[in-house]
Every structure is written in structure tokens, then in C-alpha cells.
Amino acid sequence: MKLSELLPESAVRLDMDGRDKWEILSELTDALVTSEQVDGAHREVVHEAVIIREKSMSTGMERGIAIPHTSLSAVGQTSVALGISRQGIDFEAIDGKSTHLVILLVNPSEGTKAHIRTLAEIARLLSNADLRAALRDAATSTEALDLIRDAEATVA
């Protein structure tokens, strides 16, 4: 499934306030709730699952990208939030560089194949250096989502 089909505009956060990955993960978990992808009653369960996963192994990748993810039964649908940190944060990335784009992905526990396909799609999409740079400079959530849609159309 395409990222643009999963990511509601209301779950795109520009100029993230978090100073470290733990604060960013909290902000993005809140974005899942405020965008109504995750029930507020499940916020802590989702957040704790993301923290546990991140503590077991950092999801900081290369090229300024992190894709924290988890699967759990508390969610009924794939839920996604995008955070943009213009100044960059330490996400313990493989390449040791600052992370600017963080995509939080939470899947239902019974959707393992879909979870893996979605992770692969996000990684493939964000391998585009022009898209990464444009997202870092996006002025609005609408612009960020339009950039993702355009990139998806190009690689389809």
C-alpha cells in the first residue's frame, strides 16, 4: 500500500519540537491519536510498544531517515505519522548522521506481511534524495503529502 494512502494530512508534523528520539516518538504517537488513527484509550499501549521496539534496536536508518515501527493487537488498522525535524536529531542512525524524517508505523499484529511490504515501500520511496530534501523544506502538511504523492506516481 502507498504511503500517501495510509498517511492522513493531520498526522504530518512539521518542525518537530522533540530534542531526542524519545520526545519525537511521543509527539508522533500523539499525532496518531489526534489524527484519529489510534484510539486515545490505546495511546499508552502504542507508545510503550514503540519504545520497547526502539530500545531493542534503533530504527534510525541512513540518509536522515528513521522508521520506528511495531505491531500490536490494540490497533485495528495500519497507522502512520510523519515527523520532520529541520535541525535534525540523534536517532542512533546506522550512518551516525542526524535524522530529519521520522515515519512512525503501527500495524495490527495479524498483518505481518502487510507490515513488511509497507516498511519496504516507505524505505524505497525515501531512497529518493530529491524527495527527502523537498520534505525537509515543506512549508505545510499539504505540501509534504503532495510531494509524497508525486514521488509515488514517478516510481509506480
Side-chain angles (χ1 to χ4, degrees):
M1 182 166 275
K2 293 181 179 181
L3 177 59
S4 64
E5 295 170 354
L6 296 170
L7 178 63
E9 187 176 326
S10 59
V12 177
R13 298 289 187 260
L14 306 174
D15 298 319
M16 300 280 295
D17 293 326
R19 295 175 188 250
D20 62 30
K21 72 177 179 175
W22 311 113
E23 290 177 5
I24 295 292
L25 292 172
S26 183
E27 284 183 60
L28 291 177
T29 303
D30 289 343
L32 294 178
V33 173
T34 59
S35 65
E36 299 180 350
Q37 295 179 82
V38 169
D39 187 300
H42 295 128
R43 191 256 183 228
E44 289 309 313
V45 171
V46 170
H47 185 250
E48 185 64 24
V50 171
I51 296 298
I52 289 169
R53 167 63 179 90
E54 193 63 34
K55 285 182 177 179
S56 73
M57 181 190 305
S58 178
T59 56
M61 300 173 62
E62 299 173 305
R63 304 182 207 130
I65 303 165
I67 310 175
H69 57 278
T70 192
S71 297
L72 62 152
S73 59
V75 297
Q77 65 181 18
T78 298
S79 303
V80 181
L82 166 63
I84 300 170
S85 173
R86 297 188 202 286
Q87 73 277 6
I89 58 159
D90 179 5
F91 219 91
E92 300 173 17
I94 294 169
D95 62 5
K97 296 183 179 176
S98 292
T99 297
H100 296 275
L101 304 173
V102 182
I103 297 181
L104 175 58
L105 175 65
V106 180
N107 276 303
S109 54
E110 58 277 348
T112 304
K113 286 183 183 179
H115 180 76
I116 292 168
R117 280 194 304 269
T118 304
L119 277 170
E121 174 64 25
I122 292 168
R124 183 177 62 80
L125 184 66
L126 293 179
S127 68
N128 179 326
D130 292 336
L131 174 60
R132 291 191 312 271
L135 284 171
R136 283 176 53 181
D137 293 337
T140 66
S141 299
T142 301
E143 181 183 351
L145 206 48
D146 287 344
L147 288 165
I148 291 168
R149 284 188 193 105
D150 291 347
E152 288 170 340
T154 303
V155 295

